[in-house]
Amino acid sequence: MESRIKIADILLDSLPFIKVFRNQIVVIKYGGSAQVNPKLKEQFAKDVVMMYMLGIKPIIVHGGGKDITTMLGRLGIESEFIEGYRVSTQESMPIIEMVLSGNINKELSAFLNHQGIKAVGLSGKDGGLFEARPKDGGKLGYTGEITQVDTTLLATLLEKGFVPVIAPIAGGEGIGHLGYNINADIVACEIAKSLQAFRVVFLTDTKGVLDAQGQLIPTLTKEQIHTLKANGVIIGGMLPKLEASLQCIENGVQKVHIIDGRIEHSLLLELFTSTGIGTEII
């Protein structure tokens, strides 16, 4: 009987959050272990199904850095990163698109459909969703920064009850251009800004944002992020996430969450419980 009462308490605790999220757009950046571990993939899919059934409108943007690095390595192509961003060469760009838009995107879409929701796989090239130009003047090759977002297709899909699954490949300049590899964190932010999404959630392989002692920081403000960055506490792959987070917060997104995707049902625990499990940027 005590276990049943505890279950009821958990459901009651989540009720106010469910009310707040109903009919809202939530953009989820899906990556890390949750994207490659079979059990975590299944738990993630069930979380998305639950959100969908509760009347929330999820949009999933996925990365694929580990798979890209593995495939490039098999082909004898070295991976290079600058300040957390991949350098995408003319040689590697077709492989990057193949892994993201071909392998990962379609596998994830099919997996979500199998779990009971209508998922549609896209990239920025579909419906002119987003276009880009070379990032940092081209020093990262075909790694780009988004210049334009057209959410017409996304709005139509959401209205019809579909869950968009987006690969971070952008259209380029003119017919025959290879396109651009965009950091998936940035894509999630730009999509959220354009749709005035309610929340953005980044799934990572860390507890969230950590302080100099390695302890989780539950809540962060813009000023605290700048201080942590200046002190060298925030480095590597966390830099693009926090840059994207600030862009989101400054452009109408209510909160951004950075959570540990290695925890089962991390999405539900973060969004629908009073304690949460990760870092929220406000």
Side-chain angles (χ1 to χ4, degrees), residues 62 105-106 109 120-124 126 129 153-154 157 164-167:
H62 65 81
N105 187 268
K106 300 312 173 189
S109 299
V120 177
L122 308 165
S123 80
D126 294 301
L129 179 54
L153 177 57
L154 290 183
L157 290 172
V165 179
I166 303 170

Side-chain angles (χ1 to χ4, degrees), residues 149-216:
V149 178
D150 184 344
T151 58
T152 304
L153 177 57
L154 290 183
T156 300
L157 290 172
L158 292 174
E159 181 184 353
K160 299 297 183 181
F162 289 93
V163 175
V165 179
I166 303 170
I169 298 293
E173 303 95 347
I175 297 173
H177 192 279
L178 290 175
Y180 291 101
N181 176 28
I182 313 294
N183 181 281
D185 301 330
I186 304 299
V187 173
C189 174
E190 293 297 329
I191 294 295
K193 285 163 54 179
S194 298
L195 286 171
Q196 291 291 287
F198 185 55
R199 300 284 178 90
V200 176
V201 185
F202 295 113
L203 271 70
T204 70
D205 280 348
T206 67
K207 295 178 181 179
V209 181
L210 308 180
D211 62 20
Q213 288 72 47
Q215 299 300 309
L216 177 69

Side-chain angles (χ1 to χ4, degrees), residues 104-153:
I104 297 173
N105 187 268
K106 300 312 173 189
E107 180 189 52
L108 177 56
S109 299
F111 193 75
L112 289 169
N113 278 304
H114 181 72
Q115 295 294 325
I117 60 178
K118 299 186 293 183
V120 177
L122 308 165
S123 80
K125 292 183 175 181
D126 294 301
L129 179 54
F130 50 90
E131 297 179 357
R133 64 186 175 199
K135 181 175 173 58
D136 296 342
K139 74 176 186 179
L140 299 172
Y142 285 85
T143 294
E145 57 185 9
I146 292 176
T147 57
Q148 179 178 322
V149 178
D150 184 344
T151 58
T152 304
L153 177 57

Side-chain angles (χ1 to χ4, degrees), residues 18-281:
I18 292 172
K19 288 181 178 178
V20 169
F21 276 90
R22 189 166 181 80
N23 295 320
Q24 299 284 3
I25 296 172
V26 177
V27 179
I28 304 162
K29 190 293 178 117
Y30 177 57
S33 296
Q35 190 173 313
V36 296
N37 181 296
K39 185 175 183 180
L40 291 175
K41 284 169 65 174
E42 183 177 0
Q43 302 302 342
F44 170 78
K46 288 180 178 178
D47 285 4
V48 174
V49 171
M50 175 67 78
M51 294 171 68
Y52 180 82
M53 295 300 179
L54 291 172
I56 298 165
K57 300 174 182 178
I59 295 175
I60 300 167
V61 178
H62 65 81
K66 292 181 180 178
D67 286 353
I68 291 170
T69 299
T70 298
M71 181 60 73
L72 290 176
R74 288 176 182 171
L75 298 173
I77 302 172
E78 186 177 351
S79 294
E80 180 185 358
F81 295 86
I82 298 177
E83 295 181 347
Y85 291 89
R86 180 184 296 276
V87 177
S88 306
T89 64
Q90 185 173 6
E91 182 184 22
S92 67
M93 189 61 208
I95 310 304
I96 292 170
E97 182 168 14
M98 178 190 73
V99 173
L100 291 172
S101 296
N103 297 355
I104 297 173
N105 187 268
K106 300 312 173 189
E107 180 189 52
L108 177 56
S109 299
F111 193 75
L112 289 169
N113 278 304
H114 181 72
Q115 295 294 325
I117 60 178
K118 299 186 293 183
V120 177
L122 308 165
S123 80
K125 292 183 175 181
D126 294 301
L129 179 54
F130 50 90
E131 297 179 357
R133 64 186 175 199
K135 181 175 173 58
D136 296 342
K139 74 176 186 179
L140 299 172
Y142 285 85
T143 294
E145 57 185 9
I146 292 176
T147 57
Q148 179 178 322
V149 178
D150 184 344
T151 58
T152 304
L153 177 57
L154 290 183
T156 300
L157 290 172
L158 292 174
E159 181 184 353
K160 299 297 183 181
F162 289 93
V163 175
V165 179
I166 303 170
I169 298 293
E173 303 95 347
I175 297 173
H177 192 279
L178 290 175
Y180 291 101
N181 176 28
I182 313 294
N183 181 281
D185 301 330
I186 304 299
V187 173
C189 174
E190 293 297 329
I191 294 295
K193 285 163 54 179
S194 298
L195 286 171
Q196 291 291 287
F198 185 55
R199 300 284 178 90
V200 176
V201 185
F202 295 113
L203 271 70
T204 70
D205 280 348
T206 67
K207 295 178 181 179
V209 181
L210 308 180
D211 62 20
Q213 288 72 47
Q215 299 300 309
L216 177 69
I217 305 173
T219 303
L220 272 176
T221 64
K222 177 179 178 179
E223 292 74 20
Q224 289 172 315
I225 289 172
H226 287 318
T227 299
L228 290 169
K229 186 176 177 180
N231 292 338
V233 176
I234 299 172
I235 58 174
M238 188 58 73
L239 285 170
K241 286 182 175 57
L242 289 176
E243 289 173 6
S245 297
L246 290 178
Q247 284 287 318
C248 289
I249 294 300
E250 291 169 356
N251 288 275
V253 177
Q254 188 189 80
K255 286 183 182 179
V256 177
H257 305 261
I258 299 177
I259 65 173
D260 191 344
R262 299 169 298 181
I263 298 174
E264 292 185 21
H265 301 299
S266 55
L267 275 172
L268 302 184
L269 291 170
E270 175 67 12
L271 299 179
F272 301 134
T273 66
S274 54
T275 55
I277 62 167
T279 300
E280 61 176 14
I281 291 91

